[in-house]
Amino acid sequence: MATPDTRTQLLDAAERLFAERGFSGTSVRAITDLAGANLAAVGYHFGSKAELLTAVVRRVIEPITTEQLAGLDRLLARSPEPPVADLVEAFAGPLFDAMRTGDEGGARTSRLIVRIFGDPSEEMRSWTGSAENTLRDRYVAAFTRARPDLTQDELWFRIRGILAVAAVDRVDRHNQTPAPTDAPEPARRWAITFLAAAMSAPPSEPRAN
Amino acid sequence: MATPDTRTQLLDAAERLFAERGFSGTSVRAITDLAGANLAAVGYHFGSKAELLTAVVRRVIEPITTEQLAGLDRLLARSPEPPVADLVEAFAGPLFDAMRTGDEGGARTSRLIVRIFGDPSEEMRSWTGSAENTLRDRYVAAFTRARPDLTQDELWFRIRGILAVAAVDRVDRHNQTPAPTDAPEPARRWAITFLAAAMSAPPSEPRAN
DNA sequence: CCCTCATTCAAACGTTCGTTTTAATCAAAC
DNA sequence: GTTTGATTAAAACGAACGTTTGAATGAGGG
């Protein structure tokens, strides 16, 4: 195998360490050590530690967003009003697919996503591009058409619930379940079932004027 | 109002900053500044920054755990096999009640809980006591009786889903919904509806031998 | 009044942090 | 063979970090 360039190895090492220890819990020296690179390499290739974080997050998020949009396009090409279960699968599925690619069965990617979406700090929010906004708007519109009986606020709550369940997925793994090897990815199916039922629940709002 | 003692003010300041910036993102100096205390006060009252974190987490988690156990006791006193919706409410309700007490409508407590449950680092896991284990075991047992058709793994996944939805609750607030003042706490009702439906979903496992 | 003891204070400890600088390296272009 | 331009290497920068120290403080009991 050809040795990957320093830039890529820095991204890999940073992605791993940011997921495990967080942004401020990871030193540039720990990253360059794990990457087998010189300390100054981060400054040279990315400018600063914060810009390295942006590059890492972008590399993780972008393929997920792309797949979420493609899935929605596929659904809308078939029907103007896709059922909620299909919308759930198109939205949550790519999150699980992305998590499966990681080394420890995606636990690391999952943890990184939790940090990305849960951290209010400016550094963690600098990556958001227009693609994420249009993604969000389009799914909200699709879900609104599928569930016109729900208040906008309650619909919002449920969509955030999808993201919560998808992201937390494997984070709590450190207590049980010894064998994730034989089963390919049951969590994805469990999540779709769980979330489709949740999204199909009748409104809990007393009225929705 | 009487000035609270230094120890309490340190706990308050640390709780707030840990929630906003994380453990390693918060300096002892930032805590003591916000608390209006001297730098050495942390070492004097708690021994170290890590032990201060443990005290903060315990103060947040303990009343929640207590209320969750009390709610389960109330249910079991009425019926040996409570329905899933009641179990969901007894488990998730106290999480929302705890979140409502905070200054910004519980967003801070919510964020802290996300960090507590999502962080794999040793420091963040040092607090877990026996109460949390018995809590978990008892709810798993109750849910197992309520849903004997589910695999133990899928049931586990769903219970973690409850925690995910309850914790993430208000984390994503930074984009929309200007008015959380007039509505007291609709999120709690939304979450119960959402999660009760999710927990009542038929099994997605092909078989459950 | 003085002693006691818990608490607070200013100051300094050595370490680690992110970043910058300057020189060394090296393949490709001429 | 030399020059060029991009990359890597070693070293140092000041700042901020968690922690420790030893003296000041001040209320309560003798």
Side-chain angles (χ1 to χ4, degrees), chain A residues 36-202:
Chain A
N38 187 269
L39 172 60
V42 165
Y44 177 77
H45 285 284
F46 298 96
S48 69
K49 182 189 174 186
E51 291 171 280
L52 170 58
L53 171 70
T54 302
V56 166
V57 173
R58 239 196 273 276
R59 196 178 62 155
V60 171
I61 293 293
E62 243 160 33
I64 297 177
T65 303
T66 301
E67 198 49 48
Q68 284 173 320
L69 282 174
L72 182 58
D73 285 335
R74 273 193 296 273
L75 286 182
L76 290 176
R78 202 188 315 150
S79 156
E81 292 192 14
V84 276
D86 291 348
L87 289 173
V88 166
E89 174 137 32
F91 185 80
L95 288 165
F96 284 89
D97 298 339
M99 292 175 193
R100 198 181 23 190
T101 65
D103 303 7
E104 321 162 12
R108 252 194 6 239
T109 307
S110 167
R111 199 122 44 197
L112 182 61
I113 290 178
V114 172
R115 290 202 198 271
I116 293 170
F117 287 107
D119 204 309
S121 69
E122 199 53 45
E123 293 135 341
M124 276 290 188
R125 309 233 137 267
S126 61
W127 58 273
T128 21
S130 59
E132 282 76 21
N133 289 325
T134 70
L135 167 77
R136 202 187 53 186
D137 293 343
R138 291 191 58 197
Y139 267 98
V140 168
F143 274 115
T144 303
R145 258 195 300 279
R147 295 298 311 268
D149 54 331
L150 288 178
T151 310
Q152 193 76 0
D153 283 342
E154 183 165 11
L155 184 68
W156 253 112
F157 178 89
R158 296 196 181 185
I159 292 177
R160 280 185 287 124
I162 298 178
L163 216 142
V165 171
V168 160
D169 172 25
R170 294 163 166 274
V171 162
D172 232 359
R173 255 302 143 89
H174 42 72
N175 287 326
Q176 81 289 355
T177 56
T181 50
D182 57 333
E185 185 55 320
R188 178 183 167 133
R189 197 158 17 93
W190 295 340
I192 305 296
T193 305
F194 184 93
L195 293 172
M199 289 299 290
S200 304

Side-chain angles (χ1 to χ4, degrees), chain A residues 153-154 156-158 160 201-206, chain B residues 63-64 67-68 70-72 74-75 78 84-101 105-106 110 139 162 165-171 173 180 183-197:
Chain A
D153 283 342
E154 183 165 11
W156 253 112
F157 178 89
R158 296 196 181 185
R160 280 185 287 124
S204 62
E205 287 287 315
Chain B
I64 298 177
E67 198 48 49
Q68 284 173 319
L72 182 57
R74 273 193 297 272
L75 287 182
R78 201 188 315 148
V84 275
D86 290 348
L87 289 173
V88 166
E89 175 138 32
F91 185 81
L95 288 164
F96 284 90
D97 297 339
M99 292 175 193
R100 198 181 22 189
T101 64
S110 167
Y139 266 99
I162 298 177
V165 171
V168 159
D169 172 25
R170 294 163 165 273
V171 161
R173 253 306 139 93
E185 186 54 321
R188 180 186 164 130
R189 197 158 17 93
W190 295 339
I192 305 296
T193 306
F194 184 92
L195 292 172

Side-chain angles (χ1 to χ4, degrees), chain B residues 163-183:
Chain B
L163 216 141
V165 171
V168 159
D169 172 25
R170 294 163 165 273
V171 161
D172 230 359
R173 253 306 139 93
H174 42 72
N175 287 325
Q176 81 287 355
T177 55
T181 49
D182 56 333

Side-chain angles (χ1 to χ4, degrees), chain B residues 4-196:
Chain B
D5 59 350
T6 306
R7 201 188 133 91
T8 303
Q9 289 196 223
L10 285 175
L11 282 171
D12 291 341
E15 176 176 329
R16 174 165 173 177
L17 292 176
F18 286 155
E20 288 175 357
R21 314 178 191 175
F23 177 69
S24 47
T26 302
S27 69
V28 175
R29 284 168 176 84
I31 296 171
T32 52
D33 283 358
L34 181 61
N38 187 269
L39 173 58
V42 165
Y44 177 77
H45 285 284
F46 299 95
S48 70
K49 181 188 175 187
E51 290 171 281
L52 170 58
L53 171 69
T54 301
V56 167
V57 174
R58 240 197 273 275
R59 195 178 62 157
V60 172
I61 294 292
E62 242 160 32
I64 298 177
T65 303
T66 301
E67 198 48 49
Q68 284 173 319
L69 282 174
L72 182 57
D73 284 336
R74 273 193 297 272
L75 287 182
L76 291 177
R78 201 188 315 148
S79 154
E81 292 191 13
V84 275
D86 290 348
L87 289 173
V88 166
E89 175 138 32
F91 185 81
L95 288 164
F96 284 90
D97 297 339
M99 292 175 193
R100 198 181 22 189
T101 64
D103 302 7
E104 320 161 14
R108 249 189 13 235
T109 307
S110 167
R111 197 122 46 198
L112 182 61
I113 290 178
V114 171
R115 290 204 199 269
I116 292 170
F117 287 108
D119 204 306
S121 69
E122 199 54 43
E123 292 135 342
M124 276 290 187
R125 308 232 138 269
S126 60
W127 58 274
T128 20
S130 59
E132 281 74 22
N133 289 326
T134 69
L135 167 78
R136 200 186 56 187
D137 293 343
R138 292 191 58 197
Y139 266 99
V140 168
F143 273 116
T144 303
R145 259 195 300 280
R147 295 300 310 270
D149 54 330
L150 288 178
T151 310
Q152 192 76 357
D153 284 342
E154 184 165 10
L155 184 68
W156 253 113
F157 178 89
R158 296 195 182 186
I159 292 177
R160 281 185 288 124
I162 298 177
L163 216 141
V165 171
V168 159
D169 172 25
R170 294 163 165 273
V171 161
D172 230 359
R173 253 306 139 93
H174 42 72
N175 287 325
Q176 81 287 355
T177 55
T181 49
D182 56 333
E185 186 54 321
R188 180 186 164 130
R189 197 158 17 93
W190 295 339
I192 305 296
T193 306
F194 184 92
L195 292 172

